[in-house]
Amino acid sequence: MSQPNNDQQQPENVSGNEKQSYNHDDVARYYKANLDIESNRHYIEKTREQINELEQSESVELFQRQVALLQKRLLNDPKFFQQMFITEGTSAIAWEFQQNKLSKKFTLTFWELLLKNDDMSSLLLRFIWNLPLKRKRKFIRAIDKHLCERYPMFKGLSQGWPGENNIPPYIRPPGERNEDFDLVNQGYIGYMGLGYSFREVEMLVWLEVLRDKQCDDRPCEIGIPHDDGSEADGGCPVKIHIPEMLHLIGEGKFKQAFDLIKESNPLPNVTGRVCPQEIQCQGVCTLNKRPIEIGQLEWYLPQSEKVLNPDDDFALADHENPWAKAEKPPIAIVGSGPAGMINAYLLAKDGYPVTVFEAFHELGGVLRYGIPEFRLPNELIDDVERKITILGGKFVTNFIVGKTTTLEALKRAGFWKIFIGTGAGLPRFMNVPGEHMNGIMSANEFLTRVNLMKAHLEDYETPLPKVRGKQVIVIGGGNTAMDAARTARRLGGNVTIVYRRTQDEMPVRVEELHHATEEGIDLKQLRAPREFIGNDKTHFVTDTILDVMQLGEPDASGRRRPVVTGESEEMKVDLVIMALGNASNPIVKDAEPELKTSKWGTIEVRSDSQETSMDNVYTGGDANRGGSTAIKAAGDGMSAAKEIAGDIPFSASEIKSLVATAENYTLQGQAPQRILERIELAEGIVELVVYSPLIAKAARAGQFVRVLAWDKGELVPMTLADWDAEQGTIVLVIQGLGSSSMKINQMQVGDAFAGIAGPLGLCSKLNQYEHGETVVFTAGGVGLPPVYPIMREHLRMGNHVTLISGFRTKDLMFWAEADERIGLLQTEYPDLLDVIYTTNDGSFGLNAFVTGPLEDMLEKMKAGNGRTIGEVVTIGPPLMMRAVSDLTKPYGVKTVASLNSIMVDATGMCGACMVPVTIDGKMVRKHACIDGPELDSHIIDWDKFLPRFMQFKKQEDESKVRHGFA
Ligand code: FAD
């Protein structure tokens, strides 16, 4: 029982008529008597008498009635009393803070109050946040001293606080993390894994914020402006109101702080983790020795929301589906990286029906296929996808704008405006001797194989070079290099990063480099590969010669230029990963002559706008900036969303019609690509007719598709054998050679592919031959299906065609009957089409390779008694193509080979389908997916190219054994 204080005001509205005063002395004596009873039994009797007497007194009676009323009020309105006690309590606390030091008892009690997470604790947080720095320091000294056993991270915190010391986020120790792909920097929330409660973690975050000085000129948000008006140094590209965010956290208002961030950045959980804060918000922090951990706070807020409300991360129940509402015209977003996703999210939130068209089968762009999960878990990208879906946004994957359709066609399909967020996904290479060798690949390829295709996991099909125990070098000094190096390390490689400047000039996030070296990755500075040397038999790289560099004068980037010293050194290598940055992918630009691009291939925008040279087409992110950062891409996506949501020039019925058309188009893009017909052409060779209406509409002779047969399968290129735009079908012919093609061969009518993208590559260049020249096709085995649509086009143009179709044996032949494809063409074009069949065993047609009859034709032509050969097109096994090429070269007959190289993304992003060609005596790197698949066979360096087909032979053999196909 507590004793009433004479000075204490009686609650004002305890009750109207009971609000009379009583004699305080009587009440005090009454309480004392009660206490005496409890504390001193000797006086019990005497005291009892006193109590009886006092209980009869008017004062005590009145007091008792008021206590009863207070109790009632306490039950009905507990907050009131809380406030009353809080006011009392804070005065006492304020008094404590005026003392020289905070006592242990006070500190422990105070901390317990903070942990309660109630009104009192909020008030205390606010109280401390508003204290002058010197009093805050007193608090920090007290927790350093009295709480460091319970919280080891408090130990020494007061040394140099606030500018030079802080509580860092929780980073998993290197020994624990360098074998797995779990998150390395677990942030403040990671302390929960060590057994701290959620509230304790909240307090760690609050302690970090307590260091903030609330600078008037807000450098973290707006950067440090330049007098000439050029872009400020540092600051936040999306202008998160950082000082206000810190103020809200300082006052314990975590939820409000999160709401504030969301207004300017819908992806804080992503950008907080991957932004280069050290050159942006934190780089200009006035606590320059140890800036406030703004990035960590940025992602702590959404992450903590998830911990608190795991099932309710997105309260948008009242958001009406914009497609159903049909009050705003549809918008198409091309690319699902941060630029596209933010754009889609904001427009969907604003009531626009949006469809995101993405080239890959998964969403997220670089965030998914580039940045590994140990830095950015995929579930965060899934989260964004889910949010956009809740808002009514739609996604069409395996859709390549510039190939599957054009921007103009998207507009015709009902989309009012388009945002292009296609990134900058074309990897750069060094173009040094030996770069064509097996075991040398781009970081894009390596990371896509691991991050997107999960090549390192047993139950996934994508092959990966052996990494465990191998000498891996990663060339480059940016985030991509670090990600590739750390990934290779996790796969068991002995990894060295080779960089031509010094560590100081590296464009990498400081944290990543630090983590990489902690994980046991070596750094070779001032070194650049001059040449790669390989094994003559395996064609795998074995060594590299590195130029020793030194730093010269600064270049355009302001960094000192690396200069060759003339010295060199040799290094053993098994796997080389090139992380030299990305250039712009030409696919969209090549398909849209009206779209203005810079000399670097980036899409240009109008001044102070995100709109491109094409009306109603906007862009942003890496597509416009070249390789940049996630937050800048997100910022562009936001700015574009604001511009896109302008005045709508349509009537309500026009909008409804646009929405209906665009929705129908979207549905076609989303339709499962199912097998409608399956024909066994020969032993191990099947023809599949697949529903894929948008590819069927766009397909041209000579193109191919990228097939993902099942979720854990691999991405394989397959040539289009035929298509029917009206029926919405495409035809694939598959010979089961490797385990993937063998599994595809087993698919049945009704089965759906996980995704088919295309049509890809350039279509055939069809020349009209005016003087009766013949176009010779040499088709080896299943080279016939890709040959078929090209020769059909030549026939339709009126060109004469000679088909030399070769098979190993009669049993493997197909389409030769009168009612089959080649037979039907012969009937349709009896004067234009000659067909010569060859078999290796003589079981049908000529007993010869395709080169046999071709040589006859060449000889006759040379002798002047045969048809002139306009050109030769050769498609089939690589060795056959090479033989044809070697044969025709001395005759000077133009020869084109259609290359079915090893590819991953098949849109230029990985560089795996590299074809070394010689132009003007120089070796030039071409890519089968974007420069081909048809290339002038006479400039291909076949000696270098052919071994590339064998680079995953070992993995393929292992896979066959695994699947029981060996
Ligand atoms: P992207 O993320 O590249 O997304 C483009 C999307 O468009 C892709 O999904 C692509 O498949 C799709 N696409 C391309 N062409 C077409 C087409 N024709 N039709 C349909 N879809 C198409 N930045 C940071 O800020 N911090 C980091 O730590 C960081 N680390 C990185 C690590 C790696 C390995 C890489 C490669 C980049 C890193 N970056 C980092 C850079 C950052 O990821 C990019 O700046 C950012 O992702 C660009 O976003 P975007 O939306 O413009 O394009």
Side-chain angles (χ1 to χ4, degrees), residues 353-585:
V354 300
T355 302
V356 179
F357 294 95
E358 164 56 45
F360 265 129
H361 55 288
E362 297 261 14
L363 305 171
V366 168
L367 304 185
R368 188 179 301 262
Y369 69 71
I371 302 181
E373 290 219 68
F374 57 79
R375 273 216 297 141
L376 188 72
N378 282 343
E379 67 182 57
L380 299 180
I381 305 157
D382 299 341
D383 238 34
V384 182
E385 176 188 350
R386 197 174 63 244
K387 286 178 182 169
I388 297 172
T389 309
I390 294 172
L391 290 169
K394 296 180 188 288
F395 296 94
V396 175
T397 49
N398 294 299
F399 188 106
I400 298 146
V401 171
K403 294 290 177 190
T404 318
T405 199
T406 60
L407 297 173
E408 282 307 331
L410 275 181
K411 286 190 188 170
R412 285 198 300 278
F415 293 97
W416 174 40
K417 292 184 177 180
I418 302 170
F419 175 77
I420 309 175
T422 45
L426 208 66
R428 292 202 178 95
F429 289 88
M430 303 194 74
N431 293 320
V432 295
E435 206 183 35
H436 60 277
M437 260 177 298
N438 291 342
I440 301 178
M441 58 173 56
S442 73
N444 280 6
E445 179 182 351
F446 180 71
L447 289 170
T448 304
R449 285 182 186 276
V450 178
N451 293 342
L452 183 71
M453 304 310 297
K454 309 278 177 225
H456 58 299
L457 301 181
E458 268 287 294
D459 52 342
Y460 282 75
E461 291 300 319
T462 301
L464 188 71
K466 286 263 175 294
V467 181
R468 186 156 299 280
K470 301 286 177 188
Q471 299 304 320
V472 183
I473 64 166
V474 179
I475 300 156
N479 290 320
T480 310
M482 276 337 108
D483 285 343
R486 295 173 71 197
T487 299
R489 181 82 190 104
R490 279 162 175 73
L491 299 177
N494 304 316
V495 186
T496 305
I497 293 169
V498 174
Y499 185 54
R500 59 190 183 143
R501 294 181 160 111
T502 72
Q503 186 173 330
D504 292 343
E505 286 82 30
M506 279 182 144
V508 65
R509 290 179 82 221
V510 171
E511 182 187 31
E512 309 310 332
L513 177 62
H514 175 64
H515 287 170
T517 47
E518 269 187 346
E519 286 162 12
I521 291 165
D522 289 335
L523 174 61
K524 249 186 198 292
Q525 309 178 62
L526 293 169
R527 298 287 183 279
R530 181 208 296 173
E531 187 181 347
F532 295 103
I533 300 162
N535 179 308
D536 288 344
K537 284 205 183 95
T538 64
H539 303 279
F540 272 86
V541 65
T542 55
D543 295 84
T544 176
I545 297 174
L546 300 173
D547 275 329
V548 177
M549 315 294 281
Q550 64 185 16
L551 292 180
E553 292 303 307
D555 64 12
S557 72
R559 293 176 302 167
R560 291 178 65 192
R561 193 187 301 273
V563 186
V564 183
T565 60
E567 284 173 44
S568 64
E569 64 186 35
E570 204 165 326
M571 188 180 177
K572 290 256 162 259
V573 289
D574 301 303
L575 175 63
V576 178
I577 301 172
M578 301 274 182
L580 306 163
N582 287 323
S584 299
N585 191 307

Side-chain angles (χ1 to χ4, degrees), residues 203-222:
M203 289 303 92
L204 301 184
V205 169
W206 173 76
L207 283 170
E208 175 58 11
V209 168
L210 215 53
R211 302 195 299 127
D212 178 46
K213 296 199 280 184
Q214 291 282 287
C215 307
D216 288 338
D217 44 1
R218 338 164 55 84
C220 50
E221 178 178 338
I222 59 176

Side-chain angles (χ1 to χ4, degrees), residues 806-809 838-844 846-850:
F807 294 92
R808 261 192 290 130
T809 176
T838 68
T839 47
N840 299 0
D841 61 0
S843 52
F844 191 88
L846 299 177
N847 183 354
F849 295 117
V850 290

